[in-house]
Amino acid sequence: MITVNNVSLRFGKRTLFENVNLKFTPGNCYGLIGANGAGKSTFLKLLSGEIETTTGEINIGKGERLSVLKQDHNLYNDYRVLDVVIMGNKRLYEIIEEKNKLYMKEDFNDKDGMKLGELESEFADLNGWQAESDAAILLSGLGVDISYHESLMNDIPTKEKVKVLLAQALFGNPDVLLLDEPTNGLDIDAKMWLEEFLINFNNTILVVSHDRHFLNKVCTHIVDIDYEKITLFVGNYDFWYKSSQLIQKQMKDSNKKKEEKIKELQDFIARFSANASKSKQATSRKKLLDKIVLEDIKPSSRKYPYINFKEDKALGKDVLTTKNLCVSVDGVKLINNLNLTVNNFDKIAFIGNEIIITTLFKVLNGEITPDSGEIIYGSSVINSYFPKNHDSYFTSNKNLVEWLKDYSKVDEEQFVRGFLGRMLFSGEEVLKKVNVLSGGEKVRCMLSKMMLSGANLLMLDSPTEHLDVETITSLNEALIN
C-alpha cells in the first residue's frame, strides 16, 4: 500500500501538481494518464523515491517491497539473464552473492559458518531455492527463448532485453509494482501474457501506458493528471473517458445556465434600480446575483488531434487480391503461396510475426519484389501506406509546411497549415525542420500526409508507436468511421 499526503511538486515556477492526497491499496491496478509532459513518469519517480517532493510525504507499508521497471536496456550487459531477473528481489540477490563468497573462502571459520546458516535460513524464507525456476517461468511467459536464459545480457537482442527487465520487475511477488510503459517493444503474445499476469496479481500496481486496450484490460482505477492536480476515478480507461467528458459537459451546461440567469438579473437591476416602486425587488435580485458562482473550468493540458480520412473517389467492389504470393528475404522464405482477397468495407488486422507482416506490407506497396505470384489492385483503388519505419521520409532540411506541400494537391501554405493544425502543430511549430522531429511528431506528420492523399485504401504498419493515448483515441475513431 502507498499513501500520498499533501504532496506537491514544482520545478522552478512550473507546478506539476498540488496538494495530492491519495491511497493506493492491494488488489487494485491504477492506470496513470495525462498529456505528454503532465508528470506521469515523474509521479512514479516520486513514489519510488527517485526524486523528492516539494511538499508533503509518501509512505509505503511497513516491510513492503517496491519493484520498478528499469528503462536502461544496457544497465546489466555483463550479467547473466537469469541473474538479472532475480535482481528484481534485491535482498535475495544480495544473499546469493554473500553465500557464494563465503563458500569460496579458503579460510572458512566458525563465524563464517554461523553467518552462512543465517543466510541460508533467510534464503529459504525468500523462496531462494525456486528463484531460478521462477525467473525462467517469467521469461518463458514473456516469450524469451530458453536458449537466452544462460546468456549475458550483452549477447541478446534489444527486444529480448526489454522482456528481461520486465520479468525483473515482476519477479518475487513485490508488494508494490511501478510500471512505466511496460508494453513498449512487446509482441502481441507477450502483451497478452502480461495482461493476464497483472489481472491475477494480488498486490498494488501503478502503470503508465499509452495503450488504451491495455489500460481497459488491467486497470481497476484511473489516476488522471491534469489541471495541475491528480484525480482518482474508479473503473478502466473507457469508463474514465466517458465520465470525464460527462463532467466537463455538465460543468459547461451549468455555467451556461448561470450566465443566462446572471444576464437576466443584471438587466432587471439596470432597468429598475432607480425606480422607487421596484427598488426592493432590484435589491433582492442583487443578493441573488451575488450568490451565483460560475464553475472554474481550467483549460486541459490534454489535446485531441482531429483525424479524418476522406477519399477522393468511391472504392469499387474489387480492392486487392494476391494469388500464390511467395516472398523470400536473404534466402529465407517468409511468405508461401499467400492467397488474400480484400473487399470493400473490410477492416483487417494482421497479427503474428511482425517481421513477416512488415515484409508483406512492403511487398504490397512495391518496396520488395516477390519471388512469384500476383498482386492485383482494383481500378478504383487509391492506396496510402504508413510504413513501420518511416525515417527515410524525414531526412531533408525542409520545414513542416514545405515537407507537407510535397504531398498536397493544393499548393497553398494556409491549406497545408490547416492539416498540420489538425495534428496539433501550430504557430512557429510548423517551421520546425523535419529532420529534428521526435518519433511522435513524425507519426503525426505521416497521418497528415495520409489525410491529404484522398486514399480509399489505407495500409498502416504499427501506426500507434510513439503516440500518446489522446492521438491513439483520435486515430481509433477515424479508422472506425
Side-chain angles (χ1 to χ4, degrees), residues 232-351:
L232 181 68
F233 292 81
V234 176
N236 63 14
Y237 179 86
D238 279 352
F239 186 81
W240 162 82
Y241 182 73
K242 291 172 185 172
S243 299
S244 61
Q245 296 293 306
L246 181 61
I247 290 168
Q248 283 291 302
K249 184 178 184 302
Q250 287 174 337
M251 288 172 69
K252 287 176 182 176
D253 289 349
S254 174
N255 273 2
K256 187 179 178 183
K257 288 178 182 177
K258 288 177 181 177
E259 285 166 354
E260 290 170 355
K261 186 66 176 176
I262 287 169
K263 188 175 185 311
E264 179 189 318
L265 292 171
Q266 286 173 335
D267 288 347
F268 186 92
I269 292 164
R271 284 168 59 201
F272 297 115
S273 57
N275 187 320
S277 64
K278 297 279 188 178
S279 62
K280 194 171 180 181
Q281 291 178 45
T283 302
S284 174
R285 294 220 181 7
K286 278 182 184 178
K287 290 178 181 177
L288 279 174
L289 187 61
D290 291 339
K291 289 179 182 178
I292 298 175
V293 179
L294 292 174
E295 297 278 0
D296 181 20
I297 305 176
K298 293 182 180 179
S300 174
S301 59
R302 185 178 281 110
K303 298 189 186 304
Y304 292 86
Y306 176 73
I307 304 175
N308 185 29
F309 301 107
K310 284 190 175 180
E311 62 268 25
D312 283 350
K313 65 177 180 179
L315 188 61
K317 182 181 177 183
D318 297 325
V319 179
L320 170 62
T321 303
T322 69
K323 293 182 179 178
N324 301 318
L325 193 66
C326 296
V327 183
S328 299
V329 177
D330 297 329
V332 178
K333 181 158 279 189
L334 298 182
I335 299 169
N336 188 33
N337 291 325
L338 175 66
N339 292 288
L340 172 69
T341 301
V342 180
N343 298 308
N344 199 348
F345 305 113
D346 282 351
K347 292 178 180 176
I348 301 171
F350 288 80
I351 61 171

Side-chain angles (χ1 to χ4, degrees), residues 42-312:
T42 303
F43 187 65
L44 285 189
K45 289 177 180 177
L46 278 178
L47 297 179
S48 68
E50 189 176 333
I51 60 176
E52 294 184 359
T53 64
T54 305
T55 63
E57 60 180 16
I58 294 168
N59 296 308
I60 298 172
K62 189 176 179 181
E64 291 190 349
R65 186 170 70 82
L66 183 144
S67 185
V68 181
L69 174 59
K70 301 282 197 306
Q71 302 295 322
D72 185 351
H73 301 157
N74 299 313
L75 189 60
Y76 303 101
N77 275 350
D78 297 328
Y79 290 89
R80 188 178 66 131
V81 166
L82 282 171
D83 290 334
V84 174
V85 177
I86 294 169
M87 285 178 191
N89 188 330
K90 185 181 176 183
R91 179 55 189 154
L92 177 58
Y93 189 74
E94 286 173 350
I95 291 169
I96 292 170
E97 291 282 275
E98 284 187 70
K99 278 175 57 186
N100 289 341
K101 285 177 184 176
L102 286 172
Y103 279 124
M104 294 292 287
K105 279 187 75 173
E106 294 181 2
D107 55 343
F108 191 86
N109 56 39
D110 289 345
K111 186 178 179 182
D112 293 331
M114 290 180 66
K115 177 65 176 174
L116 191 57
E118 293 170 3
L119 290 173
E120 288 288 9
S121 177
E122 192 176 355
F123 178 76
D125 289 341
L126 293 172
N127 291 323
W129 297 112
Q130 295 173 235
E132 288 209 0
S133 62
D134 288 345
I137 289 168
L138 290 172
L139 290 169
S140 296
L142 287 164
V144 179
D145 193 88
I146 195 167
S147 62
Y148 290 130
H149 292 193
E150 295 291 338
S151 303
L152 295 181
M153 286 286 279
N154 197 45
D155 298 331
I156 69 173
T158 299
K159 67 174 186 175
E160 302 302 320
K161 290 181 182 180
V162 171
K163 296 176 180 179
V164 174
L165 293 180
L166 182 53
Q168 181 193 73
L170 304 178
F171 178 78
N173 196 36
D175 299 289
V176 179
L177 189 53
L178 305 183
L179 302 174
D180 193 353
E181 298 292 357
T183 61
N184 277 5
L186 294 187
D187 54 69
I188 192 165
D189 291 330
K191 194 183 293 186
M192 289 170 66
W193 181 91
L194 178 62
E195 288 172 354
E196 290 304 314
F197 182 94
L198 296 181
I199 288 168
N200 294 310
F201 189 75
N202 293 321
N203 296 333
T204 307
I205 309 167
L206 284 95
V207 59
V208 172
S209 178
H210 288 150
D211 187 330
R212 188 174 71 170
H213 169 82
F214 178 75
L215 292 173
N216 275 333
K217 193 82 184 281
V218 304
C219 291
T220 60
H221 298 72
I222 292 295
V223 180
D224 182 29
I225 304 179
D226 201 6
Y227 310 109
E228 297 180 359
K229 62 182 182 179
I230 302 181
T231 310
L232 181 68
F233 292 81
V234 176
N236 63 14
Y237 179 86
D238 279 352
F239 186 81
W240 162 82
Y241 182 73
K242 291 172 185 172
S243 299
S244 61
Q245 296 293 306
L246 181 61
I247 290 168
Q248 283 291 302
K249 184 178 184 302
Q250 287 174 337
M251 288 172 69
K252 287 176 182 176
D253 289 349
S254 174
N255 273 2
K256 187 179 178 183
K257 288 178 182 177
K258 288 177 181 177
E259 285 166 354
E260 290 170 355
K261 186 66 176 176
I262 287 169
K263 188 175 185 311
E264 179 189 318
L265 292 171
Q266 286 173 335
D267 288 347
F268 186 92
I269 292 164
R271 284 168 59 201
F272 297 115
S273 57
N275 187 320
S277 64
K278 297 279 188 178
S279 62
K280 194 171 180 181
Q281 291 178 45
T283 302
S284 174
R285 294 220 181 7
K286 278 182 184 178
K287 290 178 181 177
L288 279 174
L289 187 61
D290 291 339
K291 289 179 182 178
I292 298 175
V293 179
L294 292 174
E295 297 278 0
D296 181 20
I297 305 176
K298 293 182 180 179
S300 174
S301 59
R302 185 178 281 110
K303 298 189 186 304
Y304 292 86
Y306 176 73
I307 304 175
N308 185 29
F309 301 107
K310 284 190 175 180
E311 62 268 25
D312 283 350

Side-chain angles (χ1 to χ4, degrees), residues 404-405 407-416 419 452:
L404 195 57
K405 262 188 178 183
Y407 303 101
S408 173
K409 299 180 184 75
V410 180
D411 189 26
E412 293 178 9
E413 182 171 322
Q414 208 56 39
F415 177 79
V416 171
F419 275 84
L452 278 168

